[in-house]
C-alpha cells in the first residue's frame, strides 16, 4: 500500500497500482468512496472484485488485462504516483496527483510502442465507486458508506456525481478534463436471495466502468438502436501514437454546487426541461465558463414510426436571460412532434456538450391509450386459466396496479363503462378468490408456499376502494358502500399483527406500503358514510403504525424493508409521516429521497436509484414512480423545492416505460403497451442486451442465473408490476402544477410553462387532467370546480386568477 494525501483526500494505492481506498480527510464517517476490498472479501465476492483502475483492452483482437501485466510504480513524496503497464502492443500509464487545491487529478495515457499501427476495439477501466448494498440491516452503514452515482456523458464534458446516500455533504464529484469518454457501464456482483427475501438480488454492488475506446461490442444488438449516443467504432493508433484522458476529483455540497464547480473545470452549466409535452415548450438554459462563447447548438430528433433523425440549427434561439444575475442564455422552443431530442452545443474552443430530453404526447392521451390497450389485450375471458384476471398472471399484488390505474383514470375523466365493468369483474370474480380462501378477507391464501406477502393487500384494498368511488350506475355486483367496507376489511387485516400467525407476516404488517396513496381518503370516506365501526378500527391500526414509524425515525428504521436498505421503505415512510403531520420525523427521511433521485444531462438517468431488477442502475416504473410521488407529496408538507424538482424529474423519466415514440431502445412499444423496467447503463455488462433497453420480468427466463431462469419460467409479458405509479402520478402531477421562487429570486414553474402576460404571468399546465395550481411558499392554491379541466391560469401580484 502507498498512501497519497493532501488537505482533502487520502488515496491508498495497491502494489498493482489500483486504488484501494479513497477517503476525505475531514469525514467523520471515514467513508471509503471506492469499493472496499475487505468488504468484498467479507461478503464473498472476492472472485468478482474489480478494483478502481484495473483495465482491459482489445488490441488487434488480443485481450490485454492489467491484472496479467507487471506494473511499475514511481512515487514522488506523498502527493503523486505514476503507474506504468507495459505490453509490446499497448502501453498504459496512470498518473495520480493530489495537488494543493484540494483536488485529486487522475490521468490515463495509452500509447502504441510498436512500429506498426494497431486497432483498438475497446479500452476500459474499472471506476469502482462505492455503490454498495451492504448485506446487513445496519441502516447507518448503508446511509453513510454507500453512494448513488449519477452520470453525465456524451460530448467532451463527462462528469459524475457520487452522492452519499444520507445526502450529508461533502459528496464526490468527478469532472473530465481530457479526451471524451466513449461509454459508462456497470457490472453487478450479487447473491440471488429471492427464496430468502422474496426479491431477486438484495445484496451486492455495482462496479462502474469507463470506456475510453468502445466499438459497440460490449452492447450486443442494443448499440444499433442507440441513435442518441451511437457512432461506436474501433480506433487505429498509429506507431508511437498516444491518447490521454484526465479527470479531477473534488468535493461538492449538493446538486447546485456540482454544476457551479463544473464551470471551474470548463464545463457548461445547464438547466433544461428534461421532459415536456407537445402542448408545451422545451426550455434550455446554459451558463458558460469564463472566456467561452456558444458557437452553435443543433437539435436532433427522432420522430415518426421509422424514427428518422432530423437536424435543426437552433443557435439563434439562445438569448441572454434578462432578469438573471448570472450570464445565462435561454432558448424556449415549441416542439410539436413527440420523440426524444438531443442538443449538441459547440463552444468556441471546439468542444461539444450534449443534452438528452424527451417530448411526450399529451399525457392524458398516453393514459387513455394505456387503459384502452389493457382492457382490449390483457383482460382474460371466462374460458382460460384464472378467468377475469388481467394478464400477465402473477401472484404478486403489484400485478393489480393495472386495475387501480384503470379505475383512477376513469374517475378523473368521463368514465368508459366497459373499462370499469372489466375491472369490477376482475375484482369480484378473480381477485377475491385468488388471494383469499373462499373469498374470506380474514384468510389469505399462502400463495408463496408457506407464506403470503403482506404488501399484496395494499393493492387489493386499493382496487376495492376505487370501485367504491363510482356511482352505482357503473357497478353490477356490489354497491359502492360494500366495496368501501371490503377495502376497510382488507386494510384492517393487513395492518393488524394479530390477524397473522407467522412472525414474518406480523412484522411486515407494520411496514408502510402502497396503501399510503389512499389510507387518508379511505378513512375520510368511512367517516362520511357513517361506517363508524370500520372507521374507528382502521384509524386505531393506522395510528399504531404511525406511532411505530415515529419511534423508529431516529434510527431510520423505515428505510429497511424486505429489501434491507430500500427506497421503497424511506420514500413511503417519509410520505406517511407527512400525512400524519409528523414533520420533524419526515424531515429525517427527506434527505434520503433527495440523494436517491438522479440528476443528469440525460433525462433517462433522472430516476430513483435502484438496481436489483436490472442488475444495473435503472428506471423501475412502479417503484420509480412511487418514490417520485413520495418526493412530490412530501414537498407539500416539508416545503423543500429539491423534493419537488426531484419528484418531477423522476416522474417524467418513468414515462419512458410507456412512451411509444421512443426509438433509442431495442424494445419498441405500440401505443398503449408498456415495459416495467428500463436499464439506464450502457453497457449493462451482466446482460448486454438490456443496455439502454426496456424489458420486463420475462427477460430473466433466459438468464444465466439458474434461479432467475426457473423463477420466471412461467412469466409472460413485460408489464405485470405496473399501474400504481400512474395512480401516484394522477394524484399529484396528473392534476397539479407548482410555482416556487428559486435562489436567484426568479419564479419557477414545475409541471407547466410560465410566460409573461399583459399583467403578471400566464401558467400553462402539463398535467393530464389539470385542476390545481399551488404556490406553497405563499400558502396559495387555486382549484377548479369538480370535473373542470383548467389548462391555464394567471398569476398576478401574488394571486392566482382565471385566465
Amino acid at each position: 500500500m502507498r498512501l497519497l494525501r493532501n488537505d482533502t483526500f487520502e488515496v491508498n494505492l495497491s502494489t498493482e497500482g489500483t486504488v484501494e481506498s479513497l477517503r476525505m480527510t475531514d469525514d467523520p464517517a471515514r467513508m471509503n468512496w471506492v469499493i472496499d476490498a475487505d468488504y468484498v472479501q467479507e461478503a464473498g465476492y472476492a472472485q468478482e472484485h474489480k478494483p478502481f483502475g484495473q483495465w482491459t483492452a482489445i488490441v488487434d483482437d488480443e485481450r490485454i488485462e492489467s491484472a496479467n501485466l507487471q506494473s511499475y510504480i514511481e512515487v514522488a513524496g506523498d502527493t503523486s504516483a505514476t503507474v506504468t503497464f507495459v505490453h509490446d502492443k499497448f502501453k498504459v500509464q496512470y498518473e495520480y496527483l493530489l495537488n494543493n487545491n484540494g483536488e485529486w487529478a487522475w490521468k490515463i495515457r495509452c500509447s502504441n510502442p510498436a512500429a506498426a499501427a494497431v486497432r483498438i476495439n475497446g479500452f476500459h477501466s474499472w471506476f469502482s465507486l462505492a455503490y454498495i448494498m451492504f448485506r446487513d440491516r445496519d441502516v447507518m452503514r448503508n446511509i453513510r458508506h454507500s453512494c448513488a452515482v449519477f452520470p453525465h456523458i456524451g460530448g467532451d464534458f463527462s462528469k459524475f456525481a457520487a452522492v452519499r446516500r444520507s445526502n450529508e455533504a461533502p459528496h464526490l464529484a468527478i469532472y473530465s478534463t481530457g479526451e471524451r469518454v466513449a461509454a459508462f457501464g456497470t457490472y453487478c456482483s450479487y447473491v440471488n436471495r429471492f427464496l430468502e427475501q422474496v426479491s431477486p438480488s438484495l445484496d451486492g454492488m455495482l462496479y462502474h466502468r469507463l470506456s475510453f475506446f468502445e466499438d459497440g461490442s460490449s452492447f450486443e444488438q442494443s448499440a444499433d438502436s442507440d441513435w442518441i449516443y451511437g457512432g461506436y467504432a474501433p480506433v487505429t493508433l498509429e506507431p508511437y501514437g498516444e491518447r490521454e484522458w484526465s479527470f479531477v476529483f473534488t468535493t461538492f455540497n449538493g446538486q447546485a454546487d456540482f454544476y457551479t464547480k463544473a464551470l471551474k473545470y470548463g464545463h457548461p452549466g445547464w438547466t433544461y426541461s428534461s421532459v415536456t409535452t407537445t402542448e408545451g415548450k422545451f426550455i434550455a438554459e446554459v451558463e458558460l465558463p469564463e472566456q467561452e462563447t456558444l458557437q452553435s447548438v443543433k437539435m436532433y430528433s427522432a420522430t415518426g414510426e421509422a424514427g428518422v433523425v432530423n437536424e435543426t440549427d437552433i443557435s439563434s434561439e439562445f438569448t441572454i436571460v434578462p432578469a438573471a444575475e448570472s450570464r445565462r442564455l435561454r432558448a424556449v422552443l415549441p416542439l410539436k412532434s413527440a420523440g426524444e431530442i438531443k442538443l449538441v452545443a459547440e463552444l468556441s474552443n471546439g468542444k461539444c456538450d450534449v443534452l438528452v430530453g424527451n417530448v411526450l404526447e399529451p399525457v392524458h392521451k398516453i393514459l387513455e391509450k394505456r387503459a384502452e390497450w389493457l382492457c382490449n389485450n390483457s383482460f382474460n375471458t371466462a374460458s382460460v386459466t384464472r378467468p377475469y384476471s388481467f394478464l400477465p398472471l402473477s401472484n404478486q399484488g403489484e400485478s393489480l396496479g393495472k386495475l387501480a390505474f384503470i379505475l383512477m383514470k376513469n374517475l378523473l375523466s368521463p368514465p368508459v363503462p366497459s373499462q370499469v365493468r372489466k375491472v369490477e369483474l376482475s375484482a369480484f370474480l378473480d381477485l377475491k378468490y385468488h388471494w383469499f380462501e373462499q373469498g374470506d378477507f380474514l384468510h389469505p391464501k399462502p400463495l408463496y408456499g408457506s407464506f403470503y406477502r403482506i404488501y399484496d393487500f395494499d393493492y387489493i384494498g386499493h382496487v376495492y376502494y376505487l370501485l367504491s368511488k363510482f356511482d352505482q350506475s357503473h357497478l353490477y355486483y356490489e354497491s359502492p358502500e360494500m366495496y368501501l367496507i371490503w377495502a376497510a376489511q382488507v386494510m384492517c387485516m393487513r395492518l393488524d399483527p394479530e390477524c397473522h400467525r407467522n412472525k414474518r407476516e406480523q412484522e411486515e404488517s407494520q411496514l408502510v406500503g402502497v396503501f399510503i396513496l389512499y389510507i387518508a381518503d379511505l378513512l375520510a370516506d368511512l367517516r362520511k358514510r357513517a361506517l363508524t365501526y370500520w372507521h374507528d378500527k382502521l384509524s386505531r391500526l393506522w395510528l399504531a403504525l404511525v406511532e411505530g414509524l415515529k419511534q423508529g425515525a431516529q434510527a431510520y428504521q423505515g428505510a429497511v424493508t424486505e429489501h434491507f436498505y430500500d427506497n421503497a421503505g424511506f420514500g413511503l415512510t417519509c410520505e406517511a409521516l407527512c400525512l400524519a403531520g409528523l414533520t420533524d420525523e419526515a424531515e429525517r427521511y427527506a434527505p434520503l429521497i433527495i440523494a436517491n433521485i438522479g440528476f443528469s444531462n440525460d433525462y433517462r438517468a433522472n430516476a430513483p436509484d435502484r438496481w436489483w431488477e436490472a442488475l444495473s442502475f435503472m428506471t423501475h416504473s412502479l417503484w420509480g414512480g412511487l418514490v417520485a410521488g413520495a418526493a412530490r407529496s412530501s414537498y407539500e408538507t416539508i416545503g423543500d423545492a429539491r423534493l419537488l424538482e426531484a419528484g418531477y424529474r423522476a416522474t417524467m423519466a418513468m414515462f419512458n416505460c410507456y412512451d411509444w415514440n421512443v426509438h433509442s431502445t431495442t424494445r419498441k412499444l405500440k401505443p398503449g403497451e408498456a415495459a416495467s423496467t428500463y436499464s439506464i447503463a450502457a453497457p449493462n455488462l451482466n446482460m448486454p442486451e438490456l443496455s439502454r433497453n426496456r424489458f420486463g420480468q420475462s427477460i430473466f427466463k433466459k438468464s444465466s442465473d439458474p434461479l432467475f431462469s426457473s423463477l420466471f419460467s412461467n412469466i409472460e409479458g413485460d408489464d405485470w408490476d405496473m399501474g400504481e405509479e400512474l395512480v401516484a402520478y394522477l394524484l399529484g402531477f396528473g392534476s397539479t402544477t407548482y410555482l416556487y421562487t428559486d435562489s436567484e429570486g426568479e419564479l419557477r414553474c414545475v409541471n407547466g410553462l410560465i410566460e409573461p402576460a399583459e399583467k403578471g404571468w400566464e401558467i400553462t399546465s402539463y398535467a393530464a387532467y389539470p385542476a390545481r395550481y399551488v404556490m406553497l411558499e405563499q400558502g396559495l392554491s387555486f382549484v377548479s370546480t369538480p370535473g373542470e379541466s383548467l389548462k391555464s391560469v394567471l398569476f398576478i401580484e401574488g394571486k392566482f386568477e382565471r385566465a
Side-chain angles (χ1 to χ4, degrees), residues 422-493:
K422 287 179 177 180
V423 173
E424 187 187 13
L425 277 167
S426 188
F428 193 88
L429 298 175
D430 171 65
L431 185 163
K432 194 167 186 276
Y433 296 96
H434 182 74
W435 271 272
F436 302 96
E437 302 285 0
Q438 299 181 328
D440 183 347
F441 296 131
L442 286 177
H443 293 93
K445 286 183 181 179
L447 295 176
Y448 305 91
S450 61
F451 64 94
Y452 49 82
R453 286 174 82 233
I454 286 293
Y455 302 110
D456 292 349
F457 307 129
D458 295 13
Y459 302 92
I460 293 168
H462 203 179
V463 173
Y464 290 135
Y465 172 66
L466 291 172
L467 282 170
S468 78
K469 302 292 286 182
F470 284 87
D471 184 79
Q472 182 66 65
S473 62
H474 291 292
L475 302 175
Y476 290 81
Y477 285 97
E478 284 294 352
S479 66
E481 183 169 294
M482 183 55 70
Y483 285 127
L484 186 64
I485 291 171
W486 286 7
Q489 288 176 331
V490 170
M491 285 311 302
C492 286
M493 178 273 297

Side-chain angles (χ1 to χ4, degrees), residues 48 186-190 201 203-207 611 615-616 686:
E48 295 186 306
T186 59
Y187 176 83
C188 183
S189 290
Y190 69 97
S201 46
D203 52 74
M205 57 197 74
L206 286 189
Y207 289 97
W611 58 270
L615 305 181
S616 179
N686 292 82

Side-chain angles (χ1 to χ4, degrees), residues 631-632 635 640-648 733 738 740 750:
R632 180 214 60 83
Y635 162 73
D640 187 336
R642 294 176 299 172
L643 286 167
L644 176 64
E645 291 282 5
Y648 187 66
F733 292 121
Y738 297 87
Y740 76 91
V750 175

Side-chain angles (χ1 to χ4, degrees), residues 27 44 52 57 98 138-139 162 188 349 386 397 418 527 650 665 710 785:
D27 179 9
F52 186 110
L98 278 75
D138 182 345
V139 181
C188 183
N349 62 6
R386 276 188 62 188
S418 63
R527 180 185 290 275
T665 69
S710 64
T785 58

Side-chain angles (χ1 to χ4, degrees), residues 484-760:
L484 186 64
I485 291 171
W486 286 7
Q489 288 176 331
V490 170
M491 285 311 302
C492 286
M493 178 273 297
R494 187 267 193 234
L495 292 172
D496 188 351
E498 294 185 5
C499 286
H500 311 286
R501 294 182 180 180
N502 298 331
K503 181 180 178 183
R504 177 197 181 95
E505 286 89 335
Q506 290 170 354
E507 290 178 348
E508 288 184 357
S509 72
Q510 297 307 290
L511 294 177
V512 71
V514 172
F515 71 84
I516 198 63
L517 295 178
Y518 62 94
I519 186 72
D521 292 334
L522 173 56
L523 285 165
D525 285 359
L526 290 169
R527 180 185 290 275
K528 190 185 304 180
R529 290 179 181 264
L531 295 168
T532 307
Y533 172 80
W534 290 110
H535 172 273
D536 293 350
K537 183 173 183 178
L538 182 57
S539 180
R540 284 195 302 271
L541 291 167
W542 160 242
L543 292 175
L545 182 138
V546 166
E547 181 60 30
L549 294 179
K550 178 181 179 181
Q551 292 176 6
Q554 195 64 30
Y556 296 99
Q557 289 179 13
V560 177
T561 68
E562 60 177 1
H563 301 166
F564 303 153
Y565 181 78
D566 183 6
N567 58 16
F570 59 73
L572 297 190
T573 296
C574 185
E575 185 173 7
L577 290 166
C578 286
L579 188 62
L582 298 172
T583 306
D584 290 345
E585 288 79 6
E587 286 179 342
R588 289 185 61 76
Y589 289 99
L592 310 187
I593 299 177
I594 294 167
N596 180 258
I597 294 178
F599 52 92
S600 176
N601 65 325
D602 186 327
Y603 81 99
R604 298 169 296 184
N606 289 338
D609 174 59
R610 225 171 191 223
W611 58 270
W612 47 83
E613 305 283 353
L615 305 181
S616 179
F617 60 95
M618 66 176 188
T619 297
H620 187 257
S621 58
L622 174 64
W623 286 110
L626 290 175
V627 171
R632 180 214 60 83
S633 176
S634 300
Y635 162 73
E636 294 212 9
T637 297
I638 295 172
D640 187 336
R642 294 176 299 172
L643 286 167
L644 176 64
E645 291 282 5
Y648 187 66
R649 286 197 309 274
T651 295
M652 302 313 284
M654 174 268 296
F655 278 106
N656 187 34
C657 293
Y658 291 91
D659 188 357
W660 58 85
N661 292 297
V662 164
H663 296 284
S664 62
T665 69
T666 306
R667 173 76 164 91
K668 304 299 191 293
L669 299 174
K670 296 175 183 176
E673 277 190 305
S676 65
T677 312
Y678 175 78
S679 179
I680 299 168
N684 178 328
L685 293 163
N686 292 82
M687 300 184 72
E689 69 270 29
L690 300 186
S691 304
R692 292 202 189 100
N693 201 7
R694 298 181 284 208
F695 64 97
Q697 299 287 14
S698 58
I699 195 73
F700 292 108
K701 292 166 70 170
K702 58 182 181 179
S703 171
S704 59
D705 182 322
L707 185 53
F708 269 144
S709 58
S710 64
L711 284 167
F712 299 110
S713 60
N714 296 319
I715 291 288
E716 299 293 340
D718 291 335
D719 66 349
W720 70 267
D721 52 346
M722 304 182 77
E724 289 286 2
E725 72 283 0
L726 294 181
V727 176
Y729 164 79
L730 288 168
L731 290 169
F733 292 121
S735 59
T736 305
T737 295
Y738 297 87
L739 296 183
Y740 76 91
T741 308
D742 69 13
S743 59
E744 294 185 1
E746 189 170 354
L747 201 59
R748 294 284 183 180
C749 181
V750 175
N751 195 32
L753 176 68
I754 180 168
E755 296 179 295
E758 184 177 340
K759 288 185 178 180

Side-chain angles (χ1 to χ4, degrees), residues 121-167:
N121 290 78
F123 175 32
H124 319 284
S125 175
W126 291 105
F127 188 67
S128 308
L129 302 176
Y131 191 121
I132 303 170
M133 179 67 69
F134 289 105
R135 188 188 295 179
D136 55 40
R137 297 173 75 85
D138 182 345
V139 181
M140 299 314 298
R141 189 182 193 187
N142 275 301
I143 286 176
R144 291 181 175 164
H145 292 270
S146 176
C147 63
V149 179
F150 304 130
H152 301 64
I153 57 173
D156 298 298
F157 299 104
S158 295
K159 47 189 167 284
F160 309 92
V163 180
R164 199 189 314 247
R165 296 192 186 276
S166 65
N167 207 37

